[in-house]
């Protein structure tokens, strides 16, 4: 059964900050290091969301503390000049949280569509 | 936990590490510095990753978007880092202040004083990003001021807490000898006197002494000269420098022959002996004799001025060292418990008078003075300079704050409508003040960070300016104390420059004023007056600072450009101290030096080569009594002292000192009778009404041989520019070959290149002989001024900064006031004022402020310049060039700064201005 926003264990995590959502989304493709995440998110959002190091790692710290992300072992080929990059991976809780978030957003989108017309969003 | 799926990393290859793009170094330094602002856990866990990612993104941006993209990225990441740290800190605080029951992700309305702080910070950042020109001006202005203050802070701290490896420096005293008759202000103390002084003084717990020497350390490779100190055996104990390994010196190791023991510094241990754990007890060759290493000092012993020292050896109490007129020891005493420096001073002076009475031949008119640590280390001139400079940099900070206050005030007024709207919508005054203060604080923190970078650039510049020869300057670095100081400044300046504008902006009268547009002239007028006052005081501070800067730099320039009495350019010098061969046989000094001289003279491009025992400017020539035959009651006694120098004929040629009468040394001297050449000053002083040439003199006491004066040579300038030339007697090298001689080589070959060739030529003759202290005379002259030069360049730099800030201030205020008075000007023009009238009116307003400031500044400058008297050379504290020039220049620039906006005002179209509102 796919997790829903009503699942009490992950309800506390929702809604996800768009930045956190993108981080988790990136990690769904596999473990990744900071540079990879910034670049992947930049590509996915067409340059709309460009994370800077401070915000990225502060978010990672928070997500790690919440149990959505964990440190991942670095693959052998990731070593350059003796400097090993730090890899991060998504946890089971993280997967469930992002799926629940997607579900929550889909329900919202459905609600809008059910109204059968575009919502007027222009500035008043 | 996920390990499945493809590695995203492989898809996005990180940029290559080949070459660092421009600006990366500075960005990395700034970023690394700012990382310290993050809360501990975040920094520890992710700081390194952040820095690395910032580095990668910078390279990336540079590679794909060029320097502009890189600069943008640097600015964005830096701002984000700052706001992240502020946010994280705020969150820490909020967590402390809110009860545990709150959820960590609770929406931002807690019910505590920090409510919305994060929001305000982001709002502030956003509004600053919207006005990059204002933000850049403020950051740059404050950064300059903060960096000069940090620089000064670090210098003053050195002065107050000097980095020397001694225990309880405040209980140390520094006795020195002086002789008013001989005009010797500060000489060392002889070993024999030292022993008597120590015995005579009850207020001193002990008296020790040191003498800087250079040792020849022979290893397996080529011999090297290393810096060293010869000390009395109680040195380490008295100063509290206990060796980390082994022991210090024993009292009996002062006996001649027993002093072949060494205590070495940890860096010598590492660099010269490879950190050999069995170093204690090992035997090394120093100055050709075997010495035993008995101790290794701790790391702290290498601080400050002791950096270039590698070896310590006891002073041998041999016959030569015990001569009372050998005043070459730098004495250090430690006050006994309860004793004061005044007691010590009185006791030592009395003891020295006693010595003068007992040993008139060596000690007549010599006395002993006593300095405390600070006076001994920095000298009174430097202390005055430091005082003046501390004042100066505070001026700079004040000027900067005034400028920024003006800018902020202008901006707050311009934003008045936004603020009025917010007040109308129910925002409380406190919230608005806080908002403005937060913006200013963010700016000030950024300025602090940029200021730190500037400070580190200033340090680098000072080290290269002094060629690393001034220990104190080499020790200056950005440390925790400095960071705290900068942080405090950054947090304090917003209160100076932003609180008042913020209070005004949020107060009621501003909104009233805004409602009435520009029509309310009463507000405008009082506001203008307040600004005028700011500008005038800014100009006054700048004038004062510039006056001081001009006085010191002009006198420095005079000192540096004085006629040395010879041409110092293209004159390379180096010293060779002959080492005995390993079998103990001594090379013949004359043969060696003569051969080396010929070898060097044959290098293509070399004009003339000379040999001299003591190079000019460096000093250290032994003073000896001069007796003229047949002049029985003539200038015998102490006042007939001449500096004696051994030289060959090439010396006079290479340095370019003309023989004004008689002849120079030549080949006749090798076989002929003893001869000497005297300097003009000596001739004038000792042969007032007789002919020096042909007369017989004796240099250095009754046992010396009689010499015939064969020539008179032009004077060398006294290295102390305020003193007349010192009388010299030159003895021919052919008759008195010393084992340490300096070469003077005049050539058209670049000095650096020549030095290498000359070294090779000398090693062709004897590969054992090290050549030492290779410098041009120009360098020697410059190095002589090193410390002063750095200080004066700093003062001048501060002056220029103050000047720039003041001019920017005048311009900013006048053009702002023009923009505020557009309507008034329009009305005037509509009722018949011509554009010349407008031009005159606006210019007059600007110029009045400038003139008031200039007058006040001159008065302040006159008061302060008198404290500089001791630092000045060749000009008076009321130097007319300075006191006329600076006000003229500042007034002219002030006029220009108000003329530009005035012209703009004069060109206004009255119809436009009246229609505008």
């Amino acid at each position: 059964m796919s997790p829903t926003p009503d699942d009490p264990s992950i309800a506390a995590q929702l809604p996800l900050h768009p930045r956190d959502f993108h981080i988790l989304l990136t990690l769904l493709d596999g473990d990744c290091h900071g540079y990879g995440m910034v670049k992947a998110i930049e590509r996915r959002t067409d340059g709309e969301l460009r994370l800077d190091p401070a915000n990225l790692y502060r978010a990672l710290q928070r997500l790690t503390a919440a149990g959505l992300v964990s440190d991942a072992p670095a693959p052998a080929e990731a070593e350059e000049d003796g400097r090993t990059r730090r890899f991060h991976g998504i946890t089971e809780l993280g997967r469930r949280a992002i799926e629940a978030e997607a579900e929550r957003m889909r329900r919202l989108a459905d609600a809008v569509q059910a109204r059968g017309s575009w919502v007027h969003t222009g500035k008043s | 936990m996920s390990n499945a799926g493809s590695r995203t990393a492989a898809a996005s290859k990180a940029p290559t590490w080949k070459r660092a793009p421009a600006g990366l170094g500075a960005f990395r330094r700034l970023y690394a510095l700012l990382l310290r602002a993050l809360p501990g856990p975040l920094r520890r866990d992710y700081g390194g990753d952040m820095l690395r990612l910032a580095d990668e993104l910078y390279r990336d941006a540079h590679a794909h978007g060029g320097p502009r993209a890189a600069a943008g990225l640097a600015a964005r990441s830096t701002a984000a880092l700052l706001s992240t740290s502020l946010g994280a800190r705020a969150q820490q605080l909020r967590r402390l202040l809110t009860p545990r029951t709150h959820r960590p992700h609770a929406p931002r309305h807690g019910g505590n004083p920090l409510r919305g702080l994060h929001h305000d910070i982001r709002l502030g950042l956003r509004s600053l990003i919207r006005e990059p020109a204002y933000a850049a001006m403020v950051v740059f202005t404050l950064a300059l001021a903060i960096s000069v203050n940090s620089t000064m802070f670090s210098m003053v701290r050195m002065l107050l807490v000097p980095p020397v490896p001694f225990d309880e420096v405040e209980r140390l005293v520094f006795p020195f000898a002086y002789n008013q008759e001989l005009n010797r202000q500060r000489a060392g103390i002889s070993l024999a006197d030292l022993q008597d002084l120590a015995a005579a003084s009850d207020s001193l717990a002990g008296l020790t002494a040191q003498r800087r020497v250079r040792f020849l350390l022979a290893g397996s490779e080529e011999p090297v000269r290393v810096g060293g100190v010869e000390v009395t055996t109680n040195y380490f104990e008295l100063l509290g420098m206990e060796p980390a390994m082994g022991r210090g010196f024993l009292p009996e190791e002062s006996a001649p022959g027993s002093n072949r023991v060494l205590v070495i510094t940890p860096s010598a241990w590492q660099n010269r002996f490879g950190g050999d754990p069995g170093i204690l007890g090992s035997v090394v060759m120093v100055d050709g004799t075997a010495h035993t290493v008995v101790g290794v000092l701790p790391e702290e012993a290498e601080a400050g001025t002791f950096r270039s020292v590698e070896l310590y050896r006891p002073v041998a109490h041999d016959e030569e060292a015990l001569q009372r007129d050998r005043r070459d020891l730098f004495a250090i005493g430690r006050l006994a418990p309860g004793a004061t420096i005044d007691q010590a001073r009185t006791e030592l002076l009395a003891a020295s008078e006693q010595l003068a009475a007992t040993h008139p031949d060596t000690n007549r008119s010599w006395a002993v003075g006593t300095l405390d640590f600070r006076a001994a280390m920095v000298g009174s001139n430097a202390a005055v300079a430091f005082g003046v400079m501390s004042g100066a940099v505070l001026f700079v900070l004040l000027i900067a704050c005034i400028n920024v206050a003006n800018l902020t005030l202008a901006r707050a007024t311009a934003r008045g409508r936004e603020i009025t709207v917010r007040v109308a919508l129910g925002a409380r005054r406190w919230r608005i003040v806080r908002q403005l203060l937060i913006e200013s604080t963010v700016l000030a923190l950024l300025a602090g960070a940029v200021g730190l970078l500037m400070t580190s650039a200033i340090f680098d510049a000072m080290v290269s300016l002094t060629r690393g020869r001034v220990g104190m300057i080499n020790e200056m670095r950005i440390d925790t104390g400095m960071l705290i100081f900068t942080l405090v400044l950054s947090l304090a300046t917003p209160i100076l420059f932003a609180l008042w504008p913020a209070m005004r902006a949020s107060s009621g009268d501003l909104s009233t004023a805004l409602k009435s547009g520009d029509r309310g002239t009463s507000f405008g007028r009082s506001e203008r007056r307040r600004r005028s006052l700011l500008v005038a005081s800014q100009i006054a501070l700048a004038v004062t600072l510039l006056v001081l800067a001009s006085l010191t730099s002009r006198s420095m320039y005079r000192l540096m450009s004085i006629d040395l009495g010879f041409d110092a350019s293209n004159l390379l010098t180096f010293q060779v101290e002959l080492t005995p061969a390993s079998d103990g046989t001594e090379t013949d000094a004359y043969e060696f030096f003569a051969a080396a001289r010929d070898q060097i003279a044959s290098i293509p491009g070399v004009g003339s080569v000379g040999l001299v025992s003591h190079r000019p400017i460096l000093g250290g020539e032994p003073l000896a009594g001069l007796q003229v035959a047949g002049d029985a009651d003539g200038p015998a006694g102490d006042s007939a002292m001449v500096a004696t120098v051994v030289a060959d004929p090439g010396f006079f040629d290479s340095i370019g000192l003309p023989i004004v009468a008689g002849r120079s040394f030549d080949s006749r001297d090798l076989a002929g009778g003893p001869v000497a050449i005297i300097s003009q000053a000596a001739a004038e002083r000792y042969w007032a009404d007789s002919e020096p040439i042909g007369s017989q003199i004796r240099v250095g006491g009754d046992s010396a041989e009689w010499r015939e004066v064969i020539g008179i040579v032009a004077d060398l300038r006294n290295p102390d520019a305020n003193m007349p030339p010192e009388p010299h007697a030159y003895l021919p090298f052919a008759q008195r070959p010393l084992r340490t001689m300096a070469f003077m080589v005049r050539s058209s070959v670049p000095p650096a290149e020549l030095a290498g060739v000359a070294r090779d030529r000398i090693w062709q003759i004897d590969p054992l002989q090290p050549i030492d202290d290779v410098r041009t005379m120009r360098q020697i002259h410059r190095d002589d001024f090193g410390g002063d030069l750095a200080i004066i360049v700093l003062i001048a730099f501060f002056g220029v900064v103050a000047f720039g800030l003041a001019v920017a201030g005048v311009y900013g205020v006048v053009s702002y006031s023009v923009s505020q008075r557009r309507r008034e000007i329009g009305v005037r023009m509509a009722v018949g004022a011509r554009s010349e009238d407008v031009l005159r009116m606006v210019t007059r307003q600007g110029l009045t402020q400038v003139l008031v400031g200039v007058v006040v500044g001159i008065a302040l400058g006159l008061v302060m310049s008198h404290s500089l008297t001791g630092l000045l050379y060749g000009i008076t504290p009321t130097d007319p060039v300075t006191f006329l020039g600076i006000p003229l220049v500042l007034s002219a620039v002030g006029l220009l700064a108000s003329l530009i906006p005035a012209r703009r005002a004069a060109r206004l179209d009255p119809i436009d201005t009246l229609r505008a509102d």
Side-chain angles (χ1 to χ4, degrees):
Chain A
M1 182 201 104
S2 78
T4 68
D6 315 316
D7 185 336
S9 66
I10 44 178
Q13 310 288 349
L14 303 186
L16 286 175
H17 190 286
R19 174 189 54 218
D20 298 353
F21 186 82
H22 276 290
I23 292 174
L24 292 176
L25 190 55
T26 309
L27 292 178
L28 278 179
D29 291 341
D31 298 348
C32 190
H33 51 63
Y35 179 78
M37 280 187 255
V38 172
K39 287 291 144 188
I41 294 174
E42 206 177 309
R43 262 197 313 274
R44 187 182 309 121
T45 61
D46 284 332
E48 192 79 358
L49 182 58
R50 284 188 194 167
L51 282 180
D52 68 279
N55 275 313
L56 171 71
Y57 282 107
R58 188 154 177 245
L60 280 174
Q61 183 198 35
R62 212 167 30 223
L63 291 172
T64 308
L68 305 185
V69 167
S70 68
D71 283 3
E77 72 271 16
E79 190 168 318
E80 282 172 42
D81 310 338
R83 315 198 298 175
T84 315
R85 294 157 163 281
R86 181 166 179 178
F87 276 71
H88 307 269
I90 190 164
T91 62
E92 197 44 49
L93 185 63
R95 279 172 197 282
R96 282 170 42 211
I98 190 171
E99 280 175 41
E101 174 71 355
E103 171 67 20
R104 186 186 68 84
M105 289 195 287
R106 206 185 56 231
R107 283 184 197 174
L108 288 176
D110 285 351
V112 173
Q113 271 174 359
R115 220 172 145 262
S117 67
W118 294 105
V119 177
H120 178 68
T121 53
K123 292 171 188 104
S124 60
Chain B
M1 175 95 44
S2 155
N3 276 319
S6 66
R7 298 268 178 188
T8 327
S12 59
K13 189 94 181 71
T16 47
W17 293 100
K18 270 172 202 139
R19 236 186 56 231
L24 179 63
F27 171 56
R28 268 188 70 97
R29 277 207 277 181
L30 178 62
Y31 204 85
L33 211 63
L34 292 179
L35 278 176
R36 302 194 195 191
L38 287 175
L42 182 56
R43 187 183 64 238
R44 272 192 301 278
D45 287 355
Y46 295 98
D49 296 304
M50 284 187 200
L51 182 59
R52 177 170 180 173
L53 179 54
D55 183 314
E56 289 169 341
L57 292 176
Y58 187 93
R59 289 169 189 271
D60 212 37
H62 198 276
H64 295 116
R68 278 181 71 100
L73 178 111
R76 258 198 328 272
S77 332
T78 312
L81 177 56
L82 265 177
S83 80
T84 304
S85 349
L86 284 174
R89 294 277 182 199
Q91 205 175 36
Q92 271 184 330
L93 259 177
R94 202 167 358 178
R95 217 170 285 149
L96 281 176
L97 295 173
T98 29
R100 288 247 162 232
T101 49
H102 275 257
R103 286 197 307 153
H105 288 285
R108 299 185 182 95
H109 21 70
N112 63 66
L114 290 167
R115 190 175 75 181
L117 188 59
H118 192 70
H119 177 71
D120 274 1
I121 291 171
R122 299 221 331 235
L123 204 65
L125 273 174
R126 215 173 297 148
S127 84
L128 291 175
I129 290 167
R130 272 205 309 270
E131 288 175 85
Y134 164 78
M137 265 301 274
V138 172
V139 168
F140 181 71
T141 308
L142 285 181
L144 262 181
I146 287 176
S147 77
V148 297
N149 273 276
S150 306
T151 308
M152 203 56 223
F153 165 77
S154 114
M155 297 183 75
V156 168
R157 194 175 48 161
M158 288 276 172
L159 208 64
L160 298 180
V161 194
V164 289
F166 305 151
D167 264 3
E168 287 190 292
V169 288
E170 64 285 354
R171 301 289 297 160
L172 295 181
V173 295
F174 298 81
F176 63 99
Y178 62 94
N179 185 326
Q180 259 145 14
E181 248 174 64
L182 293 181
N183 221 333
R184 291 251 152 171
Q185 312 296 347
R186 249 204 230 182
I189 290 189
S190 67
L191 187 56
D193 285 356
L194 188 83
Q195 290 174 330
D196 293 336
L197 292 174
S201 168
D202 294 328
S203 54
L204 292 184
L207 193 55
T208 184
Q210 65 175 52
R211 166 165 67 202
R212 291 294 284 265
V213 285
R214 288 175 71 74
F215 291 122
L216 182 74
L217 186 65
S220 51
E221 307 263 314
E222 65 178 70
V224 282
R225 290 231 164 259
V226 297
V229 187
E230 285 195 326
V231 299
T232 57
T233 52
N234 59 346
Y235 186 82
F236 298 117
E237 201 183 331
L238 192 73
L239 299 178
M241 284 166 75
E242 286 305 313
M245 277 168 62
R247 59 172 174 87
F249 297 132
L250 307 172
E252 58 270 25
E253 282 167 347
S254 61
S258 312
N259 72 326
R260 291 180 184 149
V261 284
L262 298 173
V263 167
I264 64 175
T265 62
S267 61
W269 182 37
Q270 291 304 327
N271 303 335
R272 310 282 179 206
F273 306 106
D276 174 14
I279 185 72
L280 292 182
S282 60
V283 172
V284 296
M285 296 299 286
V286 169
D287 290 345
T289 44
H291 285 63
T292 310
V293 177
V294 298
V296 179
L297 290 174
E299 296 282 345
E300 312 85 82
E302 296 195 78
T305 50
F306 286 75
R307 184 144 284 201
S308 60
V309 171
E310 298 189 41
L311 308 179
Y312 290 78
R313 179 171 77 179
V315 174
H317 291 207
D318 55 21
E319 201 177 320
E320 192 199 347
L322 285 169
Q323 283 169 4
R324 283 192 191 272
D325 53 2
R326 195 173 163 178
R327 297 188 165 83
D328 62 352
L329 288 175
F330 179 76
I332 310 174
R334 186 178 287 287
L335 291 174
T340 66
I341 183 166
D342 289 324
Q343 287 168 359
R345 192 174 283 139
T346 318
E347 274 182 9
L348 291 174
L349 182 62
S352 69
E353 282 163 355
Q354 185 65 40
L355 285 173
T358 351
H359 307 281
D361 48 333
T362 51
N363 286 39
R364 212 189 76 193
S365 73
W366 282 95
V368 167
T370 307
L371 298 172
D372 66 8
F373 182 82
R374 215 160 290 158
M377 286 294 137
V378 293
S380 54
N381 276 356
V384 172
F386 275 113
V388 171
M389 278 164 64
S390 302
V393 296
L394 276 181
F395 279 11
V396 173
L397 186 63
L398 267 180
I399 293 177
C401 283
I402 292 173
N403 257 359
V404 175
N406 254 330
L407 277 175
T408 312
L409 199 56
R411 181 167 169 271
T413 318
R415 283 175 69 191
R417 275 170 206 284
E418 174 202 330
I419 291 167
T420 317
V421 170
R422 288 182 62 184
V423 172
L425 288 176
R428 271 168 306 174
R429 188 173 177 195
W430 153 238
R431 269 303 286 268
I432 289 170
V433 171
R434 187 176 76 172
Q435 169 70 45
L436 294 174
L437 272 181
I438 284 173
E439 284 179 25
S440 307
T441 309
V442 169
L443 282 180
L445 285 174
L446 253 178
V450 177
L452 276 177
L453 283 184
M454 290 185 180
T455 310
S456 108
I458 293 179
F459 286 177
D460 291 348
M462 286 183 69
V463 170
S464 69
L465 208 62
T466 55
R467 290 168 210 273
R469 281 173 197 273
V470 181
M472 198 176 97
I473 288 172
N474 294 346
E475 286 300 307
M476 299 201 308
R477 45 184 48 69
I478 294 176
D479 54 9
T480 315
M482 178 83 130
L483 284 177
I484 293 172
F485 178 80
T486 309
L487 190 66
V488 168
L489 268 193
S490 307
L491 292 176
T493 43
I495 297 171
L496 278 176
F497 77 76
L499 191 56
W500 177 54
M503 298 295 286
R504 284 196 56 76
S506 61
S507 68
D509 55 341
L510 182 72
S511 51
T512 328
L514 283 158
K515 253 177 271 155
S516 59
D518 282 341
R519 272 159 231 146
T521 47
S522 71
F523 163 72
R525 204 170 284 156
S526 74
E527 188 63 35
R528 271 212 302 280
R529 205 170 300 137
R530 213 167 287 144
R531 279 161 195 281
S532 303
L533 198 70
L534 288 182
V535 170
S537 44
Q538 195 171 34
I539 295 279
L541 294 176
V543 167
T544 314
L545 197 51
L546 279 175
V547 160
L548 300 181
S550 154
L551 284 178
T552 43
S553 46
R554 270 168 53 74
S555 84
M556 191 66 200
Y557 179 74
R558 285 187 172 223
L559 263 180
M560 303 224 2
S561 55
I562 53 168
D563 181 16
L564 289 169
F566 61 86
D567 175 12
S569 46
N570 295 323
L571 190 53
L572 183 78
T573 76
F574 52 87
Q575 187 169 304
V576 174
E577 186 178 341
L578 284 184
T579 337
S582 44
D583 57 6
T585 52
E586 296 215 332
T587 334
D588 183 88
Y590 182 80
E591 266 175 32
F592 172 82
F593 282 115
R597 179 180 57 192
D598 294 345
Q599 275 292 326
I600 290 171
S602 70
I603 297 173
V606 168
S608 50
V609 184
L611 289 169
V612 68
S613 58
H614 297 83
R615 285 171 287 179
I617 303 176
L618 288 176
E621 302 95 336
L623 289 178
L626 176 87
Q627 266 178 283
V628 183
D631 197 359
D633 54 7
D638 282 346
S639 57
M641 293 289 220
V642 289
T644 45
V645 172
V646 172
D648 75 343
F651 169 70
F652 302 116
D653 293 342
S654 61
I655 202 169
L657 278 185
I659 305 287
V660 293
R663 67 166 175 94
S664 182
F665 298 131
D666 59 27
S667 52
R668 279 170 274 176
D669 307 330
L670 199 52
V675 294
I677 290 177
I678 56 167
S679 70
Q680 267 178 307
E684 280 158 22
R685 194 163 334 161
Y686 305 123
W687 285 268
D689 37 36
S690 60
E691 172 56 39
I693 305 233
S695 61
Q696 296 282 322
I697 59 168
R698 207 148 67 165
V699 182
D702 294 341
S703 54
E705 56 195 343
W706 288 99
R707 294 176 173 272
E708 182 190 347
V709 176
I710 55 165
I712 302 177
V713 71
D715 282 320
L716 281 170
R717 277 290 187 137
N718 195 316
D720 184 349
N722 289 316
M723 307 275 282
E726 199 160 9
H728 274 74
Y730 295 93
L731 312 183
F733 171 68
Q735 296 175 356
R736 180 80 76 88
L738 298 180
R739 300 193 63 76
T740 301
M741 295 296 287
F743 288 80
M744 315 277 296
V745 188
R746 184 171 298 283
S747 83
S748 52
V749 187
E753 201 178 302
L754 178 61
V757 183
R759 178 182 287 127
D760 290 344
R761 294 291 170 102
I762 286 183
W763 284 351
Q764 277 171 23
I765 304 172
D766 185 345
L768 264 185
Q769 305 305 341
I771 89 169
D772 194 25
D773 197 18
V774 185
R775 279 189 281 173
T776 63
M777 279 314 285
R778 170 79 54 216
Q779 277 168 338
I780 290 180
H781 184 218
R782 286 270 154 83
D783 295 345
D784 202 36
F785 288 112
D788 288 352
L789 183 64
I791 288 174
I792 284 178
V793 168
L794 257 191
I795 295 188
F797 173 66
F798 295 166
V800 169
V801 169
F803 179 75
L805 291 179
V807 170
V810 175
Y811 175 77
V813 165
V814 175
S815 52
Y816 178 73
S817 109
V818 166
S819 73
Q820 290 293 294
R821 292 168 73 189
R822 282 168 66 96
R823 194 188 176 81
E824 177 202 331
I825 292 169
V827 171
R828 280 173 192 262
M829 288 177 89
V831 298
R834 288 164 306 160
S835 48
E836 300 96 83
D837 301 330
V838 174
L839 189 70
R840 204 174 305 128
M841 177 188 81
V842 176
T843 313
R844 192 173 54 222
Q845 180 216 339
L847 205 56
T848 313
Q849 304 163 359
V850 173
L851 289 182
V852 169
V854 164
V855 169
V856 175
I858 291 176
L860 261 174
L862 275 173
V863 172
M864 292 194 66
S865 67
H866 277 276
S867 63
L868 278 178
T869 313
L871 269 184
L872 300 183
Y873 168 76
I875 56 172
T876 59
T878 52
D879 177 44
V881 174
T882 297
F883 278 91
L884 291 177
I886 302 276
L888 268 179
V889 169
L890 252 184
S891 308
V893 177
L895 179 67
L896 203 68
S898 37
L899 213 57
I900 296 169
R903 276 173 58 92
R904 211 182 303 137
R907 283 212 215 98
L908 283 177
D909 182 348
I911 309 293
D912 280 354
T913 59
L914 292 174
R915 204 183 277 150
D917 221 27

